[in-house]
Amino acid sequence: MKKTSLMFATVTTTAAVALFMTPLFMALPSAGQDGPPAGAPPGGGAAKGAKGGGGRGGAPAQPAGPMPKTPDGHPDFSGFWNLPDPPAAGVERVEAPAGGGGARGGGGARGGGAPGAAAPGGGAPVAAVGPPGGAARGGAGGRGGGGAPGWVVDPPDGKIPYTPEARAKQQDILANHLADEPELNCYESGVPHSEANRFGAQILMPPGYMVQLTEFLHAVRIIPIDPNRKHIDAKYHLFQGDPIAHWDGDTLVVDTTNQNNKTWFDLVGNFKTENLHVTEKFIPQDANTIVYESTMHDPTIYTRDWSMRWNLTRDPARPNSDGHPHELMEFACIEGNRDVQHYTEDKGGKAKQVLGKKQ
């Protein structure tokens, strides 16, 4: 199994630089679970220029074909899936200064699909979140202080439509409270961030449910597929919320309410309230690609609804070299763990700061 170590970056400078100082997670393979074969792109997806698999320089792979079906005729998402890494600069679009390079981490999410590809059923095109297989962390611009596309597809400007008061709160979090980042404290990611975490997930589809087991933070989503089901009482609030799903043709639509306010959309302070209502869509593009869309509704902090989109790509789940089957790892991160000693006092941590450097 691959051994996972957790290392958090130190935030030491102003808010502008803090935008790019996000937690770094490093996966180190060990004997139980091999890394990808030599030449394979990050996340186990197809190599650039190929569809549905195949290595660089070889013959193009055959098209993936349609998503398999369950016995009741609906798409069968069962299997292992690569989830994209959250953009290091946040889910919002970051404009590059004149002559600037790309922001660190802004070069496309792991597992992103081909830019501009049409979604099934004549829907909106798939988000241009990266080339097939995903760009390497850091993107075209490396560690520069330039722009990043983000994941917001509506509004067209790529910005979350905060009210002025909510935007001021988000900026204060970014400038002064990055040590409160939920995953830094081993909280589950919440929705829709839970659909964008590295190390991948396994989806099971027993009758009447979609169950998602995510390696990162050992998170579990149990989503009942029942249009007649009612949401739990509004006084209860959960990290993953209360999801209820139904089929709209081949698209699985998930209505998620009752989230708590302890999770963010990303790593740079885009926060939530308990009033958030998320409409998720799992759209099968082909046997190896799910287009994931989420639309957020919360009139207490937004001036309008807004949406994000990215792709989930199937992991081939090859057996390891010792014959052991591919499987998820236990992720040792316990709610309440804190790493604030690596954050400076100006960011809510404990480390001293002298002349812009941690003491």
Side-chain angles (χ1 to χ4, degrees):
M1 307 292 282
K2 68 178 179 234
K3 188 178 298 180
T4 305
S5 62
L6 186 61
M7 177 178 69
F8 293 102
T10 302
V11 179
T12 59
T13 56
T14 64
V17 177
L19 181 65
F20 306 108
M21 298 297 290
T22 57
L24 303 178
F25 300 94
M26 299 177 64
L28 305 178
S30 64
Q33 182 165 306
D34 298 338
K48 187 173 182 179
K51 182 177 180 182
R56 288 183 175 85
Q62 294 297 316
M67 186 72 69
K69 300 281 187 174
T70 60
D72 60 4
H74 294 298
D76 185 357
F77 300 143
S78 298
F80 292 90
W81 295 87
N82 297 309
L83 312 183
D85 294 334
V91 297
E92 294 186 282
R93 183 180 304 162
V94 178
E95 301 298 337
R104 178 179 176 273
R110 183 179 69 180
V126 176
V129 295
R137 191 174 185 90
R143 294 177 68 94
W151 283 350
V152 176
V153 295
D154 184 44
D157 65 1
K159 300 293 187 181
I160 297 174
Y162 285 118
T163 64
E165 296 80 10
R167 176 60 75 181
K169 177 177 179 178
Q170 184 270 330
Q171 289 293 297
D172 178 66
I173 294 172
L174 177 62
N176 302 304
H177 301 286
L178 284 183
D180 294 334
E181 193 271 308
E183 292 173 353
L184 180 69
N185 298 284
C186 295
Y187 295 150
E188 292 190 12
S189 303
V191 177
H193 190 175
S194 59
E195 299 300 326
N197 279 322
R198 62 170 45 191
F199 306 138
Q202 182 179 10
I203 293 179
L204 309 172
M205 299 200 72
Y209 289 89
M210 184 175 88
V211 178
Q212 183 170 317
L213 312 175
T214 304
E215 181 169 316
F216 184 70
L217 297 177
H218 210 144
V220 176
R221 293 191 74 191
I222 301 176
I223 303 174
I225 305 174
D226 181 359
N228 298 315
R229 188 184 179 101
K230 304 298 182 184
H231 282 291
I232 61 176
D233 193 292
K235 66 183 178 183
Y236 298 111
H237 296 94
L238 313 171
F239 276 100
Q240 299 282 14
D242 181 42
I244 299 174
H246 68 274
W247 290 104
D248 181 8
D250 283 346
T251 296
L252 185 66
V253 180
V254 184
D255 190 65
T256 301
T257 63
N258 296 79
Q259 292 194 71
N260 64 30
N261 60 2
K262 297 180 180 180
T263 66
W264 297 352
F265 288 99
D266 50 25
L267 309 176
V268 297
N270 286 303
F271 67 100
K272 303 174 183 175
T273 79
E274 294 178 346
N275 302 300
L276 179 66
H277 183 158
V278 182
T279 302
E280 306 170 79
K281 293 182 179 181
F282 293 80
I283 306 169
Q285 178 171 288
D286 57 37
N288 293 334
T289 309
I290 299 172
V291 180
Y292 176 78
E293 297 182 355
S294 59
T295 298
M296 276 53 70
H297 174 79
D298 184 352
T300 65
I301 60 171
Y302 307 133
T303 60
R304 54 164 288 186
D305 292 356
W306 61 282
S307 300
M308 295 190 289
R309 186 188 302 130
W310 56 81
N311 291 353
L312 316 181
T313 56
R314 188 181 297 277
D315 191 310
R318 303 177 184 91
N320 293 296
S321 57
D322 62 357
H324 195 84
H326 181 96
E327 60 184 329
L328 296 181
M329 285 290 295
E330 178 183 0
F331 193 97
C333 192
I334 308 301
E335 180 180 327
N337 278 4
R338 297 183 64 80
D339 195 39
V340 295
Q341 69 269 22
H342 292 133
Y343 275 73
T344 50
E345 290 178 340
D346 62 308
K347 297 297 180 286
K350 296 180 178 180
K352 300 293 184 182
Q353 184 174 358
V354 179
L355 298 178
K357 296 184 179 181
K358 188 178 75 170
Q359 189 174 24

